[in-house]
Amino acid sequence: MALPQLIPSPSSSSITHQQPCLNPINLYLNSKSFRFLSNSSPPILHRRRRPNVLRCSASSFPEKHHHTNPSKSNDVVELPLFPLPLVLFPGAILPLQIFEFRYRIMMHTLLQTDLRFGVIYSDAISGTTEVGCVGEIVKHERLVDDRFFLICKGQERFRVTGVVRTKPYLVAEVTWLEDRPSGEEDLDALANEVESYMKDVIRLSNRLNGKPEKDALELRRNLFPTPFSFFVGSTFEGAPREQQALLELEDTAARLKREKETLRNTLNYLTAASAVKDVFPSSS
C-alpha cells in the first residue's frame, strides 16, 4: 500500500513547501527510539539507519549571505557549517561519517577546541537555508584512513548572518534563536493533543502493516512543550522541507499547531486507508 501523503499546514517560511511524504512506520520507529531525559533536558534520538556520509559544498551557500558589514554585536559568533540534505533538531542524535579532506581538516580543529559545528539544510531545489542547529560531537572514532565517524547531539538553533570564509570549509557568523513567549496559549494542552494524534497515527500504521494494535508508548514523558515540539518535528523523516519550516518557527505554540495539523492530515489518510482495507482486504 502506498504511504500516506503529508499535507503541511500553510504558513510563512523561507522555504517553498510541497507535499512531502510522511512514512508512519518511520514515525513509529523514531518515536520508539527516543530516550527521554528530565523535564529540563531535551530528548536524545537514536536513529535506526546507516550513518549519513557527508557530502557538502561550501560553494552551495548563496552569495547573498556574504558578510559586508564588519561590525559585530555581542550575540554574533563564528561557527563552522555543514550543509546537509537533512534537518537536525535540538536534542536529536545524528551519526555522520566524514571522509572529504576539507572536512577532515575541520574535524581535527573541532576535536581540539569546542566540538561544535552547525548543521544546515541544503538541497538542489531550495539551496542552503539560513536557519540550522548546532551539532555537538559527543563521541568520535578516527578510522585508519583518517576518516571520522561521529555521533553528534543537536543543541541550540542559529541563523546565519554572514559568511566569514568558504575555504578550506565554510565558516559563518550566526546569531542564536530562541522561541518567543506564546502569550495566553495553553502549551501543555497543545502538546497533549499532538501526543494523542501521534499515538493514533502509530496505532493505525501498525494495523495497516499487519502489526499488533498495542497502545503506543508514552511519547511525551513529562517533557516540556518546547523540547517535545522538537522531538515531534524530528520524527517527520522523509519530509525535510516541512521539518525545516518547523525548525525555523520561533513560537512553540505555532510549531505544535502545525505539527498537530500535519498529524491530523496523516491520520485522516490512514483512517481512509484502513476503511478501504476492511472493505477490500485483498487490496492491501
Side-chain angles (χ1 to χ4, degrees):
M1 170 175 283
L3 296 176
Q5 189 84 2
L6 176 124
I7 306 176
S9 57
S11 69
S12 59
S13 172
S14 62
I15 293 179
T16 301
H17 298 288
Q18 296 179 343
Q19 293 183 358
C21 292
L22 174 64
N23 186 339
I25 301 175
N26 285 343
L27 177 65
Y28 174 64
L29 291 178
N30 291 338
S31 63
K32 286 186 67 177
S33 62
F34 247 84
R35 176 163 58 85
F36 291 95
L37 306 179
S38 65
N39 264 355
S40 59
S41 302
I44 294 178
L45 172 67
H46 297 281
R47 294 176 183 266
R48 299 185 179 183
R49 64 182 187 186
R50 297 177 60 187
N52 293 287
V53 177
L54 180 64
R55 301 178 188 276
C56 55
S57 170
S59 61
S60 65
F61 207 84
E63 290 297 323
K64 67 179 181 180
H65 295 296
H66 279 263
H67 184 61
T68 56
N69 185 354
S71 62
K72 296 182 181 180
S73 61
N74 292 331
D75 60 347
V76 175
V77 298
E78 293 185 5
L79 190 69
L81 298 183
F82 277 122
L84 289 171
L86 55 84
V87 178
L88 177 65
F89 283 86
I93 291 294
L94 174 68
L96 287 172
Q97 184 179 165
I98 312 299
F99 66 90
E100 192 174 344
F101 177 69
R102 56 180 164 174
Y103 295 114
R104 299 205 307 265
I105 294 175
M106 179 194 285
M107 288 304 109
H108 284 288
T109 302
L110 291 177
L111 293 175
Q112 297 176 21
T113 54
D114 65 354
L115 304 177
R116 291 157 58 89
F117 60 95
V119 175
I120 196 160
Y121 175 66
S122 178
D123 67 18
I125 298 175
S126 305
T128 306
T129 59
E130 297 181 349
V131 174
C133 180
V134 170
E136 182 176 16
I137 300 171
V138 296
K139 185 177 180 180
H140 73 279
E141 179 182 359
R142 184 174 176 180
L143 306 178
V144 292
D145 54 359
D146 203 35
R147 288 181 296 119
F148 287 89
F149 177 71
L150 310 177
I151 301 294
C152 308
K153 180 182 178 183
Q155 300 291 348
E156 59 266 69
R157 293 172 298 157
F158 63 84
R159 183 182 301 277
V160 173
T161 60
V163 171
V164 177
R165 65 175 184 270
T166 59
K167 295 182 179 180
Y169 49 81
L170 183 61
V171 177
E173 290 183 338
V174 304
T175 56
W176 306 120
L177 293 184
E178 293 184 0
D179 278 6
R180 298 184 294 267
S182 297
E184 301 300 320
E185 295 281 359
D186 188 341
L187 296 181
D188 278 314
L190 267 175
N192 289 335
E193 286 184 72
V194 170
E195 181 185 32
S196 178
Y197 275 114
M198 287 188 73
K199 289 181 177 180
D200 288 341
V201 167
I202 291 169
R203 176 179 54 80
L204 274 180
S205 176
N206 283 340
R207 182 184 182 194
L208 285 168
N209 288 280
K211 298 179 180 178
E213 289 188 61
K214 58 185 179 181
D215 291 336
L217 74 169
E218 185 181 353
L219 299 172
R220 190 175 171 192
R221 299 278 181 89
N222 297 319
L223 280 173
F224 287 138
T226 298
F228 179 67
S229 72
F230 290 138
F231 156 59
V232 175
S234 72
T235 67
F236 290 177
E237 287 192 9
R241 295 188 198 173
E242 178 66 13
Q243 287 183 307
Q244 180 65 29
L246 294 170
L247 186 74
E248 291 180 6
L249 289 174
E250 298 178 57
D251 185 306
T252 300
R255 189 179 303 109
L256 287 169
K257 288 177 180 179
R258 182 166 182 143
E259 290 166 344
K260 183 175 76 170
E261 184 67 19
T262 294
L263 289 165
R264 181 163 54 195
N265 291 338
T266 303
L267 182 61
N268 288 341
Y269 178 96
L270 290 173
T271 301
S274 180
V276 170
K277 181 177 181 180
D278 290 340
V279 176
F280 307 104
S282 61
S283 65
S284 60

